[in-house]
Amino acid sequence: MNWSWNTFFFGVYPFIAGTIFLLGSVIRYEREQYGWSSYSSQLLASKHYMMWASNLWHVGILTLFLGHFTGFLTNILEWLGANPVEHQWIAASAGITAGVVAMIGGVMLLLRRVLDPKVRYASRSMDIFILVWLLITLTFGLITQFVSVPDAISGHVQDMEILIRYVRSIALFQPDPQLIVNIPMIYKIHMLCGMTVFLLFPFSRLVHIWTVPFNYLIRPYQLVRAKMRSVI
């Protein structure tokens, strides 16, 4: 493997980001449990506004994450009978839909965090930075569709097949950055932004993902009663 910037960014950097992602999360949990939170600001904003912004953002982002995981690391679509061109059409359609949904929600959240005085005062610099970075990553992901969709129309899906092979080489700890030397630059930029999200993860509010309170969905309602003072 000849040394080059391509080798560093796509053969070494993924493991740097992954190591910081895992070790940083563990260290932060052990040392800063009081700061292990999403730092929710819902109490400071309109419930109606937050319902739309938060739901659009989370539904879009989680759909994109699931789509990337299943599309690059599993053969689910192939098992269901989809050929490579159909795979690319499904990925592009789902990616555009979920990406636009997440973008709308993310921009709403960013505007609220920057323009609402109470929310802005309660925000840390990293809260704003990580949201901006996620939106940048999302923007480049949507831009890739200007390459992906024409490729699907023409039946040219070699680039996507190369990307799948590359991602799986990283997952198997057998990186082969030479695979993607000649793919369109927009794919590389999007991947670098995505890797950097993992690098920033332990230092941001994203750590709350590790401890999502799924029990909220099934726990019974809490009854809150006002304390009655006896009148003498």
Side-chain angles (χ1 to χ4, degrees), residues 41-54 108-109 112 116 118-119:
S41 57
Q42 293 187 31
L43 293 176
L44 303 176
S46 162
K47 291 183 178 180
H48 181 71
Y49 185 94
M50 278 301 302
M51 178 187 72
W52 282 103
S54 181
M108 291 171 69
L109 289 174
R112 178 186 60 88
D116 189 303
K118 293 182 293 184
V119 178

Coordinates of all heavy atoms in Angstrom, one line a residue, residues 41-54 108-109 112 116 118-119:
S41 N -33.6 21.1 25.1 CA -34.1 22.5 25.3 C -35.6 22.6 25.0 O -36.1 23.7 24.7 CB -33.3 23.5 24.4 OG -33.4 23.1 23.0
Q42 N -36.3 21.5 25.0 CA -37.7 21.5 24.6 C -38.5 22.4 25.6 O -39.5 23.0 25.2 CB -38.3 20.1 24.6 CG -37.7 19.3 23.5 CD -38.3 17.9 23.4 OE1 -39.5 17.8 23.7 NE2 -37.6 16.9 23.0
L43 N -38.1 22.5 26.8 CA -38.9 23.3 27.8 C -38.8 24.8 27.5 O -39.6 25.6 28.0 CB -38.4 23.0 29.2 CG -38.7 21.6 29.8 CD1 -38.0 21.5 31.1 CD2 -40.1 21.3 29.8
L44 N -37.8 25.1 26.7 CA -37.6 26.6 26.4 C -38.2 27.0 25.1 O -38.1 28.2 24.7 CB -36.1 26.8 26.3 CG -35.2 26.5 27.5 CD1 -33.8 26.7 27.3 CD2 -35.7 27.3 28.7
A45 N -38.9 26.1 24.4 CA -39.5 26.4 23.1 C -40.9 25.9 23.0 O -41.3 25.1 23.8 CB -38.6 25.8 22.0
S46 N -41.6 26.4 22.0 CA -42.9 26.0 21.7 C -43.0 24.5 21.5 O -42.3 23.9 20.7 CB -43.4 26.7 20.5 OG -44.6 26.1 19.9
K47 N -44.0 23.8 22.2 CA -44.1 22.4 22.0 C -44.5 22.0 20.6 O -44.1 21.0 20.0 CB -45.2 21.8 23.0 CG -44.7 21.9 24.4 CD -45.8 21.3 25.3 CE -45.4 21.3 26.8 NZ -46.4 20.7 27.7
H48 N -45.4 22.8 20.0 CA -45.8 22.5 18.6 C -44.6 22.6 17.6 O -44.4 21.8 16.8 CB -46.9 23.5 18.2 CG -47.4 23.3 16.8 ND1 -48.2 22.2 16.5 CD2 -47.2 24.0 15.7 CE1 -48.5 22.3 15.2 NE2 -47.9 23.4 14.7
Y49 N -43.8 23.6 17.8 CA -42.6 23.8 17.0 C -41.6 22.7 17.2 O -41.1 22.1 16.2 CB -41.9 25.2 17.4 CG -40.8 25.5 16.5 CD1 -40.9 26.4 15.4 CD2 -39.5 25.1 16.8 CE1 -39.8 26.7 14.6 CE2 -38.4 25.4 16.0 CZ -38.6 26.2 15.0 OH -37.5 26.6 14.2
M50 N -41.4 22.3 18.4 CA -40.5 21.2 18.7 C -40.9 19.9 18.2 O -40.1 19.1 17.8 CB -40.2 21.2 20.2 CG -39.2 22.2 20.8 SD -37.6 22.0 20.0 CE -37.3 20.3 20.4
M51 N -42.2 19.7 18.2 CA -42.8 18.4 17.7 C -42.4 18.2 16.3 O -41.9 17.1 15.9 CB -44.3 18.4 17.9 CG -44.9 17.1 17.3 SD -46.7 17.2 17.3 CE -47.0 18.3 15.9
W52 N -42.6 19.2 15.4 CA -42.2 19.1 14.0 C -40.7 19.0 13.8 O -40.2 18.2 13.1 CB -42.8 20.3 13.2 CG -44.3 20.1 13.0 CD1 -45.3 20.7 13.6 CD2 -44.9 19.2 12.0 NE1 -46.5 20.3 13.2 CE2 -46.3 19.4 12.2 CE3 -44.4 18.3 11.1 CZ2 -47.2 18.6 11.4 CZ3 -45.3 17.6 10.3 CH2 -46.7 17.8 10.4
A53 N -40.0 20.0 14.4 CA -38.5 20.0 14.2 C -37.8 18.8 14.7 O -37.1 18.1 13.9 CB -38.0 21.2 14.9
S54 N -38.1 18.4 15.9 CA -37.4 17.2 16.5 C -37.8 15.9 15.8 O -36.9 15.1 15.4 CB -37.7 17.1 18.0 OG -37.1 16.0 18.5
M108 N -34.7 23.7 11.1 CA -35.6 24.3 12.1 C -34.9 24.3 13.4 O -35.0 25.3 14.2 CB -36.9 23.5 12.1 CG -37.7 23.6 10.8 SD -39.1 22.5 10.8 CE -40.2 23.1 12.1
L109 N -34.3 23.2 13.8 CA -33.6 23.1 15.1 C -32.5 24.1 15.2 O -32.3 24.7 16.3 CB -33.1 21.7 15.3 CG -34.2 20.6 15.6 CD1 -33.5 19.2 15.6 CD2 -34.9 20.8 16.8
R112 N -33.8 27.6 15.6 CA -34.4 27.8 17.0 C -33.2 28.0 18.0 O -33.2 28.8 18.8 CB -35.2 26.6 17.4 CG -35.7 26.6 18.8 CD -36.4 25.3 19.2 NE -35.5 24.2 19.1 CZ -34.7 23.8 20.1 NH1 -34.7 24.4 21.2 NH2 -34.0 22.7 19.9
D116 N -33.5 31.8 19.0 CA -34.3 31.9 20.3 C -33.4 32.3 21.4 O -32.4 31.5 21.7 CB -35.0 30.6 20.6 CG -36.0 30.7 21.7 OD1 -35.6 31.1 22.8 OD2 -37.1 30.3 21.5
K118 N -33.5 32.4 24.7 CA -33.4 31.4 25.8 C -32.7 30.2 25.4 O -31.8 29.7 26.2 CB -34.8 31.1 26.3 CG -35.6 32.3 26.9 CD -36.9 31.8 27.4 CE -37.9 31.5 26.3 NZ -39.2 31.2 26.8
V119 N -33.0 29.7 24.3 CA -32.3 28.4 23.8 C -30.8 28.7 23.5 O -29.9 27.9 23.9 CB -33.0 27.9 22.6 CG1 -32.2 26.6 22.1 CG2 -34.4 27.5 22.9

